[in-house]
Amino acid sequence: MATRSAILGVDRSLSGKAWQWRGGNMQIEGDIDALGNDIATQLLLSRGVAREDLDRHRQPSLREFLPDPSQFQDMDRAAERIADAVLSQETITVYGDYDVDGATSAALLIRLLRMLGHDARHYIPDRLLEGYGPSGEALLMLGEDGSSLIITVDCGAMAHEALGMAHDAGIDVIVVDHHKCSPDLPRTYALVNPNRLDENDLAAGHGHLAAVGVAFILAVAVVRTLRERDYFAGRKEPSLMALLDLVALGTVADVAAIHGLNRAFVAQGLKVMGKRANTGMAALIDASRLKAAPKCSDLGFALGPRINAGGRVGEATLGVRLLTTEDAEEACAIAAQLSQLNEERRAIEAAVQEEAEAQLAAQHNRSVVCVAGSGWHPGVIGIVAGRIKEKTGKPSLVIALDAQTGQGKGSGRSITGVDLGAAIINAREAGMLVAGGGHAMAAGLTVESDRVDEFAEWLDENLARAVARASAEQVMLLDLSVAPGGLTPELVETLDSAGPYGVGWPGPRVAVGPVHVVKADVVGNDHLRIIAAGQDGRSFKAIAFRAAQSTMGQSILHGARGRRLWLAGRVKLDDWGARPAAELHLEDAAWAD
């Protein structure tokens, strides 16, 4: 495959990357307003939209993207069983996971059943005491407590033993999941999952959905089934659109790919969220101190972490309770508690990160970073692994050692081009690990404490070539370049028109320059703040988060005097002052002379 030439003369930036266009050449020198539609069109095309399909993607709607639920294996069977339970007023328990996707999926089904005149129970396992997924003991306990139907959400696809125990006890369990399945499915009443290996091509094309997205499609199927049974004769049919705020939150927070149906879910869900009809969601927004209706980025950086905090360092049921309550006072109290837990999570995370980073100097020759510490909280190690990956540019694993069990729980994050999940599975099969698995970019594991060093050496040896190759091929993909005068609120609005953005639908990256640095300093927790000005006499603000100690940050702080730069990153709206202004969230920089 031919290598694309570098743009703007940048074949090696301050972070070691070549700059290339994502799509066509978009060097903007004219009026942004006049070019707005052309820019939005180019953004859609460069993200894989066919020209004849542009109109459908400009304003993504459920009408255009929602599939027929019957396309999915077991969907109709699951919907019929839930409809039976509603009609006969059986006791239903929704069994969720402790993260945002699990909480929103459980809340969605509970709110759906409430709309249908049925009160369902919920059960969320404790991360530390019970671990991930349904346990046989918990399922049997729920059955003994009267639940004749249990619906697991965001878990269960691989819970063969637990679901087998429930099956043998005569408990009907419906699994609603999106995680990878094995060829042999667990014994259960129905398993709805677009990632089943026996799924048809139409349904498998929705394998990027978060569990909450699958749960929404099930909700559509349930309502349709009840409609066919004349359940709504004389009663109001529920509006499922009201549930889309939950779908948007779970989809973004679970880092699901924002393309196709997920773009419609998020775009429409943000509109619902802005109406603040969900009492708990409104309290969560207020607790997050958002000044305006949430944007897509707010779901991942403000709302999602608060829901996650309950499962990581607090009470796992708080998220579901918040998102299902109709009591404003209760919602306010839970949201405040989650915010407090999120602050505690940040403090715990910072302490673990400081100790983990202290080990980095001894690992500078390794291709894969692997750090371990006794007493580290398992609820934050995945976040810390991601931070270390961003700082080092290498696949990174963080392992929390437990002196009582003699084992370590680890979480890893990888870089593009290095399949960490496959390596962990291979390590498990080679006898290095007690357990382990994952996907290309993230993985989890359990290892005997006295084998951590051996495992780290094995991993480094087996991934060294892949890491070297991936590092050599690193590029910074840009969507357009502008002079400083083109960095305006109008540009932000134009770029936002092709959103929402996320994994699989990357936010536009803009190069600005050439500029000279007027001022550069360090603020907060290692953030680099810049004021830059161009030859057109216009200046703007830029900030690079957690980058002051990076090669790029140090070069700008100490080597930019008298030199011109290109700056690249995401354009955001700064509306804190009297007049809104565009600022650059800096990701990379390169010398312009």
Side-chain angles (χ1 to χ4, degrees):
M1 183 176 70
T3 302
R4 291 182 289 179
S5 59
I7 63 169
L8 304 175
V10 181
D11 54 13
R12 185 173 179 81
S13 69
L14 294 181
S15 65
K17 300 182 179 70
W19 288 6
Q20 297 177 355
W21 294 121
R22 191 188 311 275
N25 184 329
M26 295 267 289
Q27 290 180 274
I28 307 300
E29 298 178 356
D31 181 7
I32 293 295
D33 288 338
L35 295 171
N37 190 56
D38 291 339
I39 293 174
T41 296
Q42 182 59 49
L43 291 174
L44 293 173
L45 292 172
S46 64
R47 281 151 183 76
V49 177
R51 189 168 291 276
E52 61 272 16
D53 206 22
L54 284 170
D55 289 341
R56 191 167 71 115
H57 284 80
R58 292 189 196 279
Q59 299 291 334
S61 67
L62 292 192
R63 182 183 298 275
E64 293 293 337
F65 286 94
L66 190 68
D68 179 354
S70 297
Q71 292 176 356
F72 296 82
Q73 295 273 15
D74 277 3
M75 181 70 78
D76 289 340
R77 179 173 170 82
E80 293 282 354
R81 181 66 185 88
I82 295 172
D84 288 342
V86 169
L87 290 169
S88 59
Q89 287 295 301
E90 295 179 51
T91 299
I92 303 174
T93 294
V94 181
Y95 192 119
D97 188 23
Y98 38 67
D99 68 358
V100 184
D101 193 18
T104 52
S105 299
L108 185 147
L109 291 183
I110 290 169
R111 294 182 74 90
L112 167 72
L113 291 167
R114 191 179 293 165
M115 291 174 178
L116 297 173
H118 190 99
D119 285 327
R121 302 173 180 177
H122 67 263
Y123 186 90
I124 310 295
D126 183 278
R127 176 191 291 265
L128 299 181
L129 299 179
E130 298 178 80
Y132 169 76
S135 69
E137 293 77 9
L139 294 176
L140 293 180
M141 180 269 293
L142 293 173
E144 292 170 357
D145 198 34
S147 295
S148 55
L149 176 61
I150 300 172
I151 308 171
T152 73
V153 288
D154 196 30
C155 60
M158 294 290 288
H160 293 76
E161 181 179 353
L163 293 171
M165 292 172 63
H167 180 274
D168 291 342
I171 304 169
D172 288 344
V173 180
I174 294 172
V175 173
V176 181
D177 205 352
H178 68 135
H179 293 100
K180 297 297 183 183
C181 296
S182 62
D184 295 325
L185 298 175
R187 290 182 294 159
T188 186
Y189 189 88
L191 195 155
V192 182
N193 185 339
N195 288 305
R196 284 175 54 153
L197 296 181
D198 62 345
E199 195 55 276
N200 63 75
D201 291 342
L202 289 173
H206 291 92
H208 63 294
L209 296 179
V212 70
V214 182
F216 183 85
I217 298 175
L218 175 59
V220 173
V222 170
V223 170
R224 182 179 65 182
T225 300
L226 288 170
R227 185 189 306 125
E228 292 170 351
R229 297 190 188 185
D230 294 326
Y231 182 74
F232 301 112
R235 72 175 73 197
K236 185 178 180 181
E237 184 170 319
S239 172
L240 298 183
M241 295 293 287
L243 300 173
L244 288 177
D245 56 348
L246 296 169
V247 183
L249 176 56
T251 297
V252 174
D254 209 53
V255 201
I258 309 297
H259 60 76
L261 178 57
N262 277 346
R263 279 192 75 226
F265 277 150
V266 175
Q268 300 305 319
L270 287 170
K271 296 177 183 178
V272 174
M273 199 175 292
K275 296 177 181 177
R276 297 171 60 91
N278 183 319
T279 302
M281 190 75 77
L284 182 64
I285 293 169
D286 291 341
S288 301
R289 300 186 181 91
L290 298 179
K291 295 170 55 180
K295 303 185 293 294
C296 190
S297 58
D298 294 325
L299 308 190
F301 293 104
L303 306 186
R306 284 171 165 79
I307 298 294
N308 257 336
R312 290 186 186 279
V313 299
E315 183 183 339
T317 63
L318 288 174
V320 174
R321 287 169 51 201
L322 174 66
L323 297 173
T324 56
T325 185
E326 303 293 346
D327 185 317
E329 186 174 340
E330 180 187 24
C332 183
I334 296 175
Q337 186 178 356
L338 285 170
S339 288
Q340 178 60 40
L341 288 170
N342 194 45
E343 291 302 316
E344 293 178 18
R345 185 270 305 169
R346 286 179 175 174
I348 294 170
E349 175 193 327
V352 172
Q353 185 167 341
E354 182 178 1
E355 292 185 30
E357 290 190 359
Q359 301 180 28
L360 294 183
Q363 303 206 10
H364 67 278
N365 289 324
R366 277 187 172 169
S367 298
V368 179
V369 175
C370 184
V371 296
S374 180
W376 291 355
H377 198 297
V380 303
I381 56 176
I383 302 174
V384 175
R387 297 268 192 255
I388 293 177
K389 180 205 76 170
E390 293 300 324
K391 184 168 188 171
T392 63
K394 301 176 180 180
S396 301
L397 290 103
V398 178
I399 301 174
L401 302 176
D402 187 328
Q404 291 186 333
T405 65
Q407 294 182 338
K409 297 286 187 181
S411 186
R413 300 293 184 267
S414 194
I415 61 175
T416 301
V418 179
D419 192 336
L420 184 60
I424 295 299
I425 292 172
N426 290 339
R428 183 193 67 199
E429 293 176 347
M432 291 280 170
L433 303 174
V434 176
H439 52 78
M441 301 301 289
L445 60 94
T446 302
V447 60
E448 298 292 349
S449 297
D450 58 3
R451 301 197 68 183
V452 169
D453 290 341
E454 179 187 4
F455 163 65
E457 293 292 342
W458 183 94
L459 198 63
D460 190 63
E461 179 180 342
N462 281 268
L463 287 181
R465 290 186 178 179
V467 172
R469 183 168 58 251
S471 299
E473 295 173 353
Q474 283 189 358
V475 297
M476 174 69 69
L477 295 178
L478 300 174
D479 291 280
L480 68 155
S481 69
V482 298
L487 209 65
T488 64
E490 291 74 23
L491 175 62
V492 177
E493 182 178 352
T494 296
L495 298 179
D496 284 349
S497 69
Y501 299 104
V503 174
W505 195 269
R509 190 177 284 122
V510 179
V512 188
V515 301
H516 66 272
V517 175
V518 177
K519 181 181 180 182
D521 56 6
V522 180
V523 297
N525 185 18
D526 196 37
H527 307 318
L528 175 65
R529 181 175 59 186
I530 299 170
I531 297 177
Q535 294 172 309
D536 58 2
R538 302 292 294 273
S539 63
F540 61 92
K541 296 178 181 177
I543 186 165
F545 295 105
R546 295 181 296 275
Q549 298 303 315
S550 68
T551 301
M552 178 190 73
Q554 290 296 298
S555 297
I556 293 174
L557 284 168
H558 304 296
R561 183 181 297 275
R563 302 192 67 178
R564 296 189 307 159
L565 291 136
W566 284 102
L567 303 179
R570 320 281 186 179
V571 184
K572 302 295 182 180
L573 190 65
D574 176 11
D575 56 2
W576 285 98
R579 295 181 58 188
E583 67 176 16
L584 188 69
H585 287 193
L586 185 64
E587 296 178 274
D588 202 0
W591 301 121
D593 51 27

